[in-house]
Amino acid sequence: MPAFLNNVFVTEEEAKLHNSDLSMQRGYAVFDFFRTVNTKPLFEEDHLNRFFHSANDMHLSVTKSREELKQIIDALIEQSQLKEAGIRLMLTGGYAADTYHLAEPNLLITCKPVKTSTQELFEKGSSAITYNHQRELPHIKSINYLMAVWLQPLLKEKGSDDVLYHHNGIVTEFPRANVFAVINHVLVTPASNILRGITRKYVLEQAGSFIKTEERDIKVEELYHASEIFLTSTTKRVIPVLRLNDVIVAKGTPGPVASALWEMFMKMEQNI
Amino acid sequence: MPAFLNNVFVTEEEAKLHNSDLSMQRGYAVFDFFRTVNTKPLFEEDHLNRFFHSANDMHLSVTKSREELKQIIDALIEQSQLKEAGIRLMLTGGYAADTYHLAEPNLLITCKPVKTSTQELFEKGSSAITYNHQRELPHIKSINYLMAVWLQPLLKEKGSDDVLYHHNGIVTEFPRANVFAVINHVLVTPASNILRGITRKYVLEQAGSFIKTEERDIKVEELYHASEIFLTSTTKRVIPVLRLNDVIVAKGTPGPVASALWEMFMKMEQNI
């Protein structure tokens, strides 16, 4: 598979960074990730907007213009010959001579096969445990997933698919997905201390046509009285959460709001 | 300079990792760092103890035994021909096919020239601003320095050398150093939510011979009434903090406790 490193196209195998890079020395880098549908990038403008915002908020200058990035991405998609690809843009703190202070950023773009959720996965749904944790600089898509990876053995032990973070009782997000719930016939999603997902944005727009939506603080306890809980992400689209901390959510089957959104999503993709 | 990657000695230039490594994908890796004095590793056993603890607490298996690591380190020191070297051991979450789940760890050891503090730097001292932040999994020496690097432009703006973290008013640590203060003739240092530095340990042992020491919670306000504040780290040894948030600490010159510890440290190194 093809990749792009700073100024040159390379093979995926050549997409390496030297250990002096601040991503490896200090976990300091931002990224964004989106996918193609039938060779066409999905929500590319939104993802590029967020990538530039993340970089700026992390004091990193994107070394290419928006137009240059789009041309590189198009070239990678073509070289890959993939219809459904995952594009990952990463910008790091650079090769720091003193292993600590910000240097000239390294830009790395990869293009690889991507797996998305299926109708079967939608029907089966997902399970989650809650965990008190607030991500650092949550509005920035940084590479800091320390807690998420660290919790993997606990998830395995609990037989749970994922972890839903809350901050002192206020629900925030999954490590790689946003959360929605239907409470008293209103579709609610957390308003603050989260990464604003692009799928979250699309779902809020679409859902507005058939249900009242609200971005607000949600207490963990409220979720136990929700008629639906679901998550949204680039690769998973919309997936119902059917078990939370060993409690079955509503009837334990996908609800009408998630189902309607899933249908809308699939139709939109079929028309690309 | 020589390095060691998984099973082979490589040059520093070859010490690269593929972008699928969890250090770059998810900021997931542990490390430790120590130095040599006249070709001899300083506090090597303590640093290896901490490295193994960090790895274990991060669910990572060190791929070499303690004895093997020591042999590799000795070989690197010899190959480097450096009298004063910095040794960095890093163990990452490995090359993750799905870019998320823990894989076979990658081990990378580098050996490079290191700069240590001088008598001039000791006399000049250091300055710091305080900042409310709690590092995630603080007892583990992970590569998560997101906040520390992110704050660099603010430090520059404030004309401050470093940031001293506190957690809701309770002092913890510097990003790369521990903090001590002399308050009411007692040498105090934070007890919890910190990384337990090896220099911190040595200083506590040495100071015990001439001053009462205590590990306890310290409020930020207490620091303004301290007769001395200083930091300890592997490369800096003992450095007085002479300015905190624009307030001059005591008389603004190195105090007797820091000076005595600096002298003891330098003497110890001369006898290695």
Side-chain angles (χ1 to χ4, degrees):
Chain A
M1 285 295 118
F4 184 86
L5 180 53
N6 287 327
N7 286 302
V8 285
F9 287 92
V10 295
T11 65
E12 163 69 6
E13 292 68 38
E14 293 165 334
K16 295 180 171 186
L17 291 179
H18 189 261
N19 81 87
S20 65
D21 187 85
L22 282 183
S23 61
M24 272 172 275
Q25 292 283 336
R26 308 293 172 179
Y28 203 82
V30 295
F31 76 109
D32 221 293
F33 180 82
F34 56 97
R35 61 188 171 92
T36 62
V37 177
N38 196 20
T39 76
K40 294 187 190 64
L42 189 63
F43 307 135
E44 186 181 29
E45 298 296 337
D46 288 315
H47 284 281
L48 287 176
N49 283 344
R50 191 172 63 183
F51 183 63
F52 275 92
H53 274 122
S54 291
N56 185 61
D57 290 352
M58 284 270 276
H59 319 302
L60 301 173
S61 290
V62 183
T63 47
K64 299 284 173 198
S65 72
R66 191 183 182 95
E67 277 313 306
E68 285 169 333
L69 285 183
K70 284 165 83 168
Q71 283 169 20
I72 295 162
I73 290 162
D74 285 348
L76 288 172
I77 294 167
E78 200 179 326
Q79 287 173 41
S80 77
Q81 299 187 312
L82 292 170
K83 286 196 165 184
E84 324 287 313
I87 313 286
R88 185 178 192 265
L89 298 106
M90 176 164 73
L91 190 73
T92 75
Y95 294 141
D98 69 352
T99 76
Y100 192 66
H101 286 92
L102 282 166
E104 178 74 19
N106 282 310
L107 172 70
L108 178 60
I109 310 176
T110 56
C111 175
K112 295 198 275 194
V114 68
K115 274 187 191 168
T116 58
S117 56
T118 57
Q119 182 75 37
E120 287 71 28
L121 184 64
F122 179 87
E123 300 294 345
K124 193 177 157 241
S126 182
S127 60
I129 57 168
T130 56
Y131 196 87
N132 192 358
H133 171 63
Q134 176 57 57
R135 285 196 310 112
E136 300 173 8
L137 307 174
H139 62 293
I140 297 173
K141 197 164 172 72
S142 80
I143 62 167
N144 177 18
Y145 288 72
L146 184 61
M147 190 55 66
V149 178
W150 187 74
L151 286 171
Q152 285 171 9
L154 178 67
L155 290 186
K156 207 173 171 184
E157 185 194 316
K158 299 270 183 188
S160 215
D161 295 320
D162 211 341
V163 56
L164 176 60
Y165 294 140
H166 64 90
H167 187 212
N168 300 332
I170 303 296
V171 179
T172 53
E173 61 196 352
F174 295 92
R176 298 181 294 171
N178 288 113
V179 64
F180 283 81
V182 180
I183 298 173
N184 296 330
H185 309 289
V186 179
L187 181 63
V188 294
T189 191
S192 46
N193 295 324
I194 59 164
L195 185 78
R196 289 175 180 269
I198 308 305
T199 307
R200 174 185 180 276
K201 182 187 169 194
Y202 177 76
V203 159
L204 273 175
E205 286 163 5
Q206 296 302 306
S209 66
F210 64 90
I211 187 171
K212 193 184 168 204
T213 64
E214 200 177 353
E215 299 176 63
R216 65 163 171 90
D217 285 353
I218 304 166
K219 289 182 190 161
V220 173
E221 300 90 78
E222 289 184 78
L223 292 183
Y224 295 117
H225 307 291
S227 57
E228 293 186 43
I229 304 174
F230 58 87
L231 60 81
T232 60
S233 89
T234 290
T235 56
K236 293 188 173 162
R237 300 181 186 95
V238 174
I239 293 290
V241 177
L242 301 179
R243 185 161 55 87
L244 188 70
N245 291 333
D246 290 327
V247 176
I248 302 297
V249 177
K251 290 175 189 158
T253 52
V257 176
S259 298
L261 288 164
W262 173 268
E263 292 298 327
M264 288 169 108
F265 218 110
M266 296 309 272
K267 240 177 230 166
M268 176 271 286
E269 290 192 39
Q270 276 157 21
N271 292 325
I272 283 175
Chain B
M1 286 293 119
F4 184 86
L5 180 54
N6 288 326
N7 285 303
V8 286
F9 287 93
V10 295
T11 64
E12 164 68 5
E13 291 69 36
E14 293 165 333
K16 294 181 173 188
L17 291 179
H18 189 261
N19 81 87
S20 65
D21 188 83
L22 282 183
S23 62
M24 271 172 275
Q25 291 285 335
R26 307 294 172 179
Y28 203 83
V30 294
F31 76 108
D32 221 291
F33 179 82
F34 56 97
R35 62 188 171 91
T36 63
V37 176
N38 197 17
T39 76
K40 294 186 189 66
L42 189 63
F43 307 136
E44 186 180 30
E45 299 296 338
D46 288 315
H47 283 281
L48 288 176
N49 284 344
R50 191 173 62 181
F51 183 63
F52 275 92
H53 274 122
S54 291
N56 185 61
D57 290 352
M58 282 271 275
H59 319 302
L60 301 173
S61 289
V62 183
T63 47
K64 298 284 172 197
S65 72
R66 192 184 181 93
E67 277 314 306
E68 286 169 331
L69 285 183
K70 284 164 84 168
Q71 283 170 20
I72 295 162
I73 291 163
D74 285 347
L76 288 172
I77 295 167
E78 200 178 327
Q79 287 173 42
S80 77
Q81 298 186 312
L82 292 169
K83 286 197 163 183
E84 323 288 312
I87 313 285
R88 186 178 192 265
L89 298 106
M90 176 166 72
L91 190 73
T92 75
Y95 294 141
D98 69 352
T99 76
Y100 193 67
H101 286 93
L102 282 165
E104 178 73 19
N106 282 310
L107 172 70
L108 177 60
I109 310 176
T110 56
C111 175
K112 295 197 277 193
V114 68
K115 273 187 191 168
T116 58
S117 55
T118 57
Q119 182 75 37
E120 287 72 26
L121 184 64
F122 178 87
E123 300 294 344
K124 191 176 158 241
S126 183
S127 60
I129 56 167
T130 55
Y131 197 86
N132 191 358
H133 171 64
Q134 176 57 57
R135 286 198 309 113
E136 300 173 8
L137 307 174
H139 62 292
I140 297 174
K141 198 165 172 71
S142 80
I143 61 167
N144 177 17
Y145 289 72
L146 183 61
M147 190 55 66
V149 179
W150 186 75
L151 286 171
Q152 285 171 11
L154 179 67
L155 291 185
K156 207 173 171 184
E157 185 194 315
K158 298 270 185 189
S160 215
D161 295 321
D162 211 342
V163 56
L164 175 60
Y165 294 141
H166 65 90
H167 186 211
N168 300 331
I170 304 297
V171 178
T172 54
E173 62 196 351
F174 295 93
R176 299 181 292 171
N178 288 114
V179 64
F180 285 80
V182 181
I183 299 173
N184 296 331
H185 309 288
V186 179
L187 180 62
V188 294
T189 191
S192 45
N193 295 324
I194 59 163
L195 185 79
R196 288 174 181 271
I198 308 305
T199 307
R200 172 185 181 276
K201 182 187 168 192
Y202 177 77
V203 159
L204 273 174
E205 286 164 6
Q206 296 302 309
S209 67
F210 64 90
I211 188 170
K212 193 184 167 203
T213 64
E214 200 177 354
E215 298 176 65
R216 66 161 171 92
D217 285 352
I218 303 166
K219 289 181 189 162
V220 173
E221 301 90 75
E222 289 184 78
L223 292 183
Y224 295 116
H225 307 291
S227 57
E228 292 185 43
I229 305 174
F230 58 86
L231 61 81
T232 60
S233 88
T234 289
T235 55
K236 294 187 174 163
R237 300 181 187 94
V238 174
I239 293 291
V241 177
L242 302 180
R243 185 161 56 88
L244 188 69
N245 291 334
D246 289 326
V247 177
I248 301 297
V249 177
K251 290 174 192 160
T253 52
V257 177
S259 298
L261 287 165
W262 172 268
E263 292 299 328
M264 289 170 108
F265 217 110
M266 297 309 273
K267 239 176 231 165
M268 177 271 287
E269 290 191 40
Q270 277 158 19
N271 292 325
I272 282 176

